Amino acid sequence: EIVLTQSPDFQSVTPKEKVTITCRASQSIGSSLHWYQQKPDQSPKLLIKYASQSISGVPSRFSGSGSGTDFTLTINSLEAEDAATYYCHQSSSLPPLTFGGGTKVEIK
Amino acid sequence: QVQLQESGPGLVKPSGTLSLTCAVSGGSISSSNWWSWVRQPPGKGLEWIGEIYHSGSTNYNPSLKSRVTISVDKSKNQFSLKLSSVTAADTAVYYCASQTNIPGSDPGPFDYWGQGTLVTVSS
């Protein structure tokens, strides 16, 4: 099983600040890493696919990078609406498909 | 645009069987998608339960495999989850989700999600 470790678990950020969330895989997964945003009482929403590919309709302040075992989600110029929990997910190896533990981003 | 909608009992007794259905609209369940179930215990992270292709091919999370059955009903354009011998630890919001299958590629991201349904295991 591929374990995904996200850091930090929690981040309190002021608007317009830059946010960086990392996801580390227990073994190489190439670029098969995807990022989701989940707001309270909502289902997850796909933000970035295959490490760095943008998704139509997602604001350009969200970007992803990385390959192999180390990946990063960056939110440039955080907005109040970005308060949410962010998850990474790997599709390189199954079963099982796995998710990171999540990073909660709070707006100061 | 594919839309997914979960349905089923919100309360299941311990040792019973949890049964949920995911109705697919805006697309065919016979399309090139993998159809998955994902759950989220209250206040916790996401856990993949398993998936099915319209051919009937399935993959299950080894941690749940002995208790899980996922099936597809093409005539109703829906797929279903059965989880047996449930305990309080199975209390969670259950989501159905789909991945677009691209031949020669890995399963990819979950493109579409249902709104989720809370299932509580309690007597």
Side-chain angles (χ1 to χ4, degrees):
Chain A
E1 172 175 338
I2 294 176
V3 176
L4 298 178
T5 303
Q6 283 185 238
S7 62
D9 294 334
F10 175 83
Q11 198 164 9
S12 185
V13 188
T14 56
K16 299 187 180 180
E17 197 173 336
K18 179 180 177 179
V19 174
T20 300
I21 299 169
T22 65
C23 179
R24 175 163 289 176
S26 59
Q27 62 191 75
S28 180
I29 57 173
S31 297
S32 297
L33 191 286
H34 320 290
W35 291 97
Y36 303 85
Q37 175 193 66
Q38 186 180 34
K39 296 182 179 180
D41 297 320
Q42 294 186 16
S43 53
K45 171 189 173 184
L46 180 63
L47 287 180
I48 298 288
K49 64 180 181 180
Y50 291 107
S52 61
Q53 295 181 20
S54 59
I55 302 297
S56 176
V58 173
S60 58
R61 62 181 179 275
F62 292 94
S63 63
S65 63
S67 66
T69 60
D70 294 303
F71 301 87
T72 300
L73 173 70
T74 301
I75 311 173
N76 282 302
S77 192
L78 186 80
E79 298 191 6
E81 66 183 29
D82 300 333
T85 301
Y86 294 84
Y87 294 94
C88 56
H89 151 232
Q90 68 81 21
S91 59
S92 173
S93 173
L94 77 160
L97 296 172
T98 51
F99 293 90
T103 296
K104 186 174 182 177
V105 174
E106 174 193 86
I107 309 299
K108 282 183 182 175
Chain B
Q1 171 106 352
V2 171
Q3 293 186 319
L4 306 175
Q5 179 66 60
E6 306 90 348
S7 62
L11 181 65
V12 180
K13 287 182 168 32
S15 77
T17 297
L18 179 159
S19 296
L20 296 173
T21 295
C22 181
V24 179
S25 59
S28 171
I29 202 160
S30 296
S31 63
S32 299
N33 283 44
W34 282 94
W35 307 98
S36 278
W37 289 97
V38 176
R39 71 180 182 178
Q40 184 172 38
K44 296 189 178 181
L46 300 165
E47 179 182 33
W48 178 76
I49 299 169
E51 65 182 5
I52 191 165
Y53 198 63
H54 62 78
S55 62
S57 179
T58 54
N59 291 300
Y60 296 133
N61 191 321
S63 68
L64 298 168
K65 186 174 183 178
S66 64
R67 299 194 291 130
V68 173
T69 302
I70 298 176
S71 59
V72 65
D73 187 336
K74 296 179 191 178
S75 66
K76 294 182 178 179
N77 217 39
Q78 64 186 32
F79 62 106
S80 299
L81 168 70
K82 289 189 185 299
L83 181 65
S84 63
S85 303
V86 296
T87 69
D90 295 308
T91 293
V93 174
Y94 286 76
Y95 296 99
C96 53
S98 71
Q99 297 162 286
T100 302
N101 180 43
I102 299 174
S105 182
D106 66 77
F110 293 106
D111 306 285
Y112 301 104
W113 295 74
Q115 65 183 25
T117 186
L118 174 63
V119 178
T120 302
V121 178
S122 175
S123 55

